[in-house]
Amino acid sequence: MWRDEALCYNQSVKFVIGNWKMNPSSFAEAKRIITVVKKNIGKHPHARLRGQAKVVICPPALFLASLVELTKNTAIAVGGQDSYLSDEGAHTGETSPSALRRLGAACVILGHSERRAIGESDTVIAQKVASAVRNRLRVVLCVGERVRDDAGAYFTEVKRELRASLEKFPRSEIKRLVVAYEPVWAIGAKAIRAAKPEDFREMSVFIRRNLVDCFGKKSGLVIPILYGGSADERNAEGFLREGGADGFLVGRASLDPQKFSAIIRVAESARY
Ligand code: PGA
């Protein structure tokens, strides 16, 4: 299981991470989705290449423990959608990174734009990142501009988010870092327009340059950079092939087991 392996990133391996957000509203539906994905994954013609795609489902915290059970001995790992900046203690309503790890979570999403939108600052995100890594979780750090202006100020916004959130990230733990570029304008049902593979490519080069600046060439070059923002079974291939994405952070499409399985299939058969 990849949560226990050496964590070394191999560029040919793609990540497909489903962010269920606050869905579904019943455990019965969560179980149905996971059951269909499990079944579909087994049928993939590329199933023998297992390991070409690292598949993670990040359900609401309420369903985490049950999903860990339901996915035992499968190619699907389970992750958190957020974790707190302290390991444990008196923090009403928060999720402990140390409990997440002990439960068997493979990773945790941090800095998602929907959390930034309710006031989560770069400083808080940096502390959450540090505490997740201390607890040996892989961090899926989300960055992305709210709007794309003609003057290119969006580069400054992404740079600030990236640098500030990673301020406390130890270079020795670089294998625990995944960056997800999620332009806010392309996320969700209210997206202004779909991002294009070239939008992703342009920004991922910029992100990569910043990662190399922060962590040095050897480490900066191997950090996976995923695309998130209305990723689905129709646009996945373009983002991998033309965009050079190392995988996806998928919202809505991850709640449809057929669509999610189709994205996994695209990632498993990718040769770029
Ligand atoms: P979406 O969400 O795929 O529904 O746009 C992506 C995300 O917010 O992670």
Side-chain angles (χ1 to χ4, degrees):
M1 180 52 65
W2 68 274
R3 60 181 151 244
D4 295 318
E5 76 197 21
L7 287 176
C8 259
Y9 182 55
N10 162 355
Q11 299 284 351
S12 66
V13 173
K14 308 294 179 196
F15 289 75
V16 183
I17 305 179
N19 175 10
W20 283 3
K21 308 191 177 180
M22 212 167 70
N23 305 295
S25 55
S26 75
F27 177 64
E29 176 60 5
K31 196 170 169 186
R32 186 192 73 82
I33 300 170
I34 209 85
T35 307
V36 179
V37 174
K38 269 194 322 197
K39 216 158 105 200
N40 286 349
I41 278 192
K43 282 196 232 142
H44 284 184
H46 294 281
R48 70 193 151 76
L49 299 174
R50 181 64 1 90
Q52 285 300 105
K54 293 186 183 301
V55 181
V56 190
I57 302 261
C58 300
L62 280 170
F63 303 149
L64 260 165
S66 309
L67 256 65
V68 166
E69 281 303 310
L70 285 172
T71 54
K72 250 192 193 135
N73 303 318
T74 73
I76 306 169
V78 173
Q81 292 181 13
D82 186 38
S83 60
Y84 197 56
L85 42 88
S86 308
D87 294 1
E88 43 205 26
H91 306 290
T92 305
E94 299 292 350
T95 302
S96 145
S98 99
L100 256 188
R101 170 71 200 188
R102 277 195 213 115
L103 197 66
C107 64
V108 61
I109 299 170
L110 291 173
H112 192 280
S113 59
E114 286 155 11
R115 297 210 56 88
R116 293 180 193 264
I118 55 168
E120 200 162 293
S121 67
D122 288 328
T123 316
V124 167
I125 295 164
Q127 287 172 282
K128 289 186 169 188
V129 166
S131 110
V133 173
R134 201 165 50 237
N135 285 285
R136 296 183 294 122
L137 288 164
R138 196 190 292 234
V139 169
V140 181
L141 174 71
C142 301
V143 295
E145 75 278 7
R146 275 158 294 179
V147 287
R148 246 185 203 215
D149 58 308
D150 292 337
Y154 59 93
F155 283 109
T156 318
E157 190 179 348
V158 171
K159 181 174 177 173
R160 194 210 68 235
E161 287 182 343
L162 192 68
R163 298 249 177 167
S165 313
L166 293 176
E167 206 177 65
K168 298 176 195 298
F169 202 101
R171 192 188 289 214
S172 58
E173 296 287 350
I174 209 71
K175 288 171 285 183
R176 298 193 192 281
L177 178 61
V178 174
V179 174
Y181 170 56
E182 299 210 308
V184 180
W185 48 268
I187 293 181
K190 293 191 189 137
I192 294 171
R193 70 165 170 90
K196 299 193 197 87
E198 53 266 35
D199 295 324
F200 174 80
R201 183 170 278 283
E202 175 192 54
M203 187 53 87
S204 76
V205 168
F206 179 75
I207 290 175
R208 178 76 66 210
R209 210 177 297 137
N210 276 280
L211 292 172
V212 168
D213 268 5
C214 292
F215 298 111
K217 205 165 169 187
K218 192 163 166 247
S219 304
L221 287 179
V222 295
I223 298 164
I225 305 177
L226 317 187
Y227 174 69
S230 304
D232 62 25
E233 74 290 3
R234 286 161 304 164
N235 61 24
E237 179 148 14
F239 279 105
L240 294 177
R241 200 181 43 221
E242 291 142 45
D246 297 314
F248 303 99
L249 181 53
V250 187
R252 277 158 303 153
S254 67
L255 288 159
D256 178 326
Q258 303 300 358
K259 289 185 181 176
F260 192 61
S261 308
I263 299 172
I264 297 168
R265 205 172 304 137
V266 170
E268 279 186 335
S269 48
R271 290 288 168 278
Y272 10 83

